[in-house]
Amino acid sequence: MPDADDRTRRPFALEEAVALLSRTPAVLDALLRGLPETWAHAHEGGETWSPFDVLGHLVHGEQADWLPRVTIILNEGEHRTFDPFDRQAQFAASAGRTLPDLLAAFAAARGDSLRGLAALQITSADLDRAGTHPAFGRVTLRQLLATWVAHDLDHVAQVSRVLARQYTEEVGPWRAYLRVISGTQG
Amino acid sequence: MPDADDRTRRPFALEEAVALLSRTPAVLDALLRGLPETWAHAHEGGETWSPFDVLGHLVHGEQADWLPRVTIILNEGEHRTFDPFDRQAQFAASAGRTLPDLLAAFAAARGDSLRGLAALQITSADLDRAGTHPAFGRVTLRQLLATWVAHDLDHVAQVSRVLARQYTEEVGPWRAYLRVISGTQG
């Protein structure tokens, strides 16, 4: 447990996690809606993801990953291993869709997830209940919910980085001061 | 110049830069407004910055850095070296202020900057005009404006990362999958 003055760690609190999860669709909407399509499909080369790919991944996660796993923990506990999550599913699912489609789909799916989560009336004791992850083994509901939050923020950071790096050459010598471009996390 | 199929680089275009710059206040508002104060003051240890510190830095940049340097390039060219930017100024300037104060101050200051920028009626030819950076020497207006955009996105990525890392322990074994926590940029 972090102490109360530690600014580097927060203990998990369900109402704070929900407050963070509820923000992500609006954050990505503010960042991406109305940008030229070339920016939505920008990536970092090779198999890296564009903002469009990230949004598809987030939509798929709402449908196949987060709340379904919460439900497995509460209903079946450690006896039923989670279904593996398909990290490539969005490439087929998003084909032919537009960025505004995906922004709307993510906002709707996240809203459904948070209503579903509220309906479960999770207690503090429930947070210690566990499930079985296909790679990690035993994981708690607290860890799953904290990961849902951190996963959102990871992808917000990624989308910001992908956009920033489009100007890797255009920033000239300032590259040295821009950690998102120079690659250090500082 | 990147070719038209290159998804890793965008050539600088003023109207796209303005579209990105105009989004940042709403992105940070969506991410931060209403979060408990402890999250606004979360950091990564030592002298690292909290979301609150980043916002103060962005407000100060609008006042002291970006548009003032644009104006120096257009009015004085390379003869007048830019004033060094004080990367610690926000600690005094933000003292006693609240996060909603700083969100509002940033939105207002950014709006002023973008109106000021529009009034300058910058042409393509102007983008090649240059100024003198105190550390780097000759820099072009194009590089300055591209850096303004990338700097915003760098700090959005930073704020997301600072928040995510608050759950470094709470995510348990999932840490290995969360690049924002594990420290790789993937």
Side-chain angles (χ1 to χ4, degrees):
Chain A
M1 276 284 123
D3 70 55
D5 293 333
D6 182 355
R7 290 167 56 194
T8 72
R9 297 291 182 270
R10 283 290 291 166
F12 181 80
L14 183 57
E15 69 279 10
E16 292 183 356
V18 169
L20 286 157
L21 290 169
S22 68
R23 284 168 159 70
T24 313
V27 172
L28 291 172
D29 200 284
L31 190 53
L32 297 170
R33 184 179 295 274
L35 280 189
E37 281 284 297
T38 44
W39 285 90
H41 291 280
H43 68 178
E44 296 171 276
E47 300 298 304
T48 62
W49 291 0
S50 67
F52 183 86
D53 297 331
V54 169
L55 265 172
H57 167 71
L58 292 171
V59 171
H60 184 65
E62 295 305 298
Q63 294 158 349
D65 189 353
W66 304 109
L67 194 62
R69 288 180 171 189
V70 171
T71 307
I72 290 171
I73 290 177
L74 293 175
N75 292 346
E76 306 181 66
E78 296 177 59
H79 303 293
R80 154 112 186 263
T81 301
F82 301 149
D83 299 325
F85 182 67
D86 181 357
R87 296 183 70 258
Q88 306 297 323
Q90 70 274 13
F91 295 109
S94 303
R97 302 181 75 172
T98 65
L99 186 80
D101 274 353
L102 291 181
L103 288 167
F106 179 48
R110 175 55 56 89
D112 289 345
S113 294
L114 293 179
R115 279 185 293 277
L117 190 69
L120 294 171
Q121 300 191 285
I122 290 168
T123 65
S124 297
D126 288 332
L127 295 175
D128 293 322
R129 293 168 70 178
T132 301
H133 185 279
F136 302 138
R138 187 176 188 279
V139 288
T140 65
L141 180 57
R142 177 184 287 103
Q143 289 168 342
L144 174 63
L145 294 170
T147 300
W148 193 359
V149 171
H151 177 269
D152 270 20
L153 293 164
D154 200 345
H155 285 298
V156 171
Q158 176 187 20
V159 167
S160 299
R161 186 185 73 227
V162 170
L163 297 177
R165 287 185 172 180
Q166 294 289 306
Y167 280 168
T168 298
E169 271 79 38
E170 295 291 24
V171 299
W174 268 290
R175 201 175 315 167
Y177 285 4
L178 292 164
R179 292 166 299 181
V180 80
I181 289 177
S182 65
T184 59
Q185 287 197 329
Chain B
M1 276 287 124
D3 69 55
D5 292 334
D6 182 356
R7 291 167 57 195
T8 72
R9 298 290 182 271
R10 284 290 291 165
F12 181 80
L14 183 58
E15 69 280 10
E16 292 183 358
V18 168
L20 286 157
L21 289 169
S22 68
R23 284 167 160 70
T24 313
V27 172
L28 292 171
D29 200 284
L31 190 53
L32 296 171
R33 185 179 294 274
L35 280 188
E37 281 284 298
T38 44
W39 285 90
H41 291 280
H43 68 178
E44 296 171 276
E47 300 298 305
T48 63
W49 291 1
S50 67
F52 183 87
D53 297 331
V54 169
L55 265 172
H57 168 71
L58 291 170
V59 171
H60 184 65
E62 295 306 297
Q63 295 159 348
D65 189 351
W66 304 108
L67 193 62
R69 288 180 171 188
V70 171
T71 308
I72 289 171
I73 290 176
L74 293 175
N75 291 345
E76 306 182 66
E78 296 179 58
H79 303 294
R80 153 111 188 262
T81 302
F82 301 150
D83 299 325
F85 182 66
D86 181 357
R87 296 183 70 256
Q88 306 297 322
Q90 71 273 15
F91 295 108
S94 303
R97 302 182 75 172
T98 65
L99 186 80
D101 274 353
L102 291 182
L103 288 167
F106 179 48
R110 175 56 55 90
D112 289 345
S113 294
L114 293 180
R115 280 186 293 276
L117 190 68
L120 294 172
Q121 300 191 282
I122 290 169
T123 65
S124 297
D126 288 333
L127 295 175
D128 293 322
R129 294 171 68 179
T132 301
H133 185 279
F136 302 138
R138 188 176 188 278
V139 288
T140 64
L141 179 57
R142 177 183 286 102
Q143 290 168 341
L144 174 63
L145 294 170
T147 300
W148 193 359
V149 172
H151 177 270
D152 269 20
L153 292 164
D154 199 345
H155 284 298
V156 171
Q158 175 187 22
V159 167
S160 298
R161 186 184 73 227
V162 169
L163 296 177
R165 287 187 171 178
Q166 294 289 306
Y167 279 168
T168 297
E169 271 79 39
E170 295 291 24
V171 299
W174 268 290
R175 200 175 315 167
Y177 284 5
L178 293 163
R179 293 166 298 182
V180 79
I181 289 177
S182 66
T184 60
Q185 287 197 327

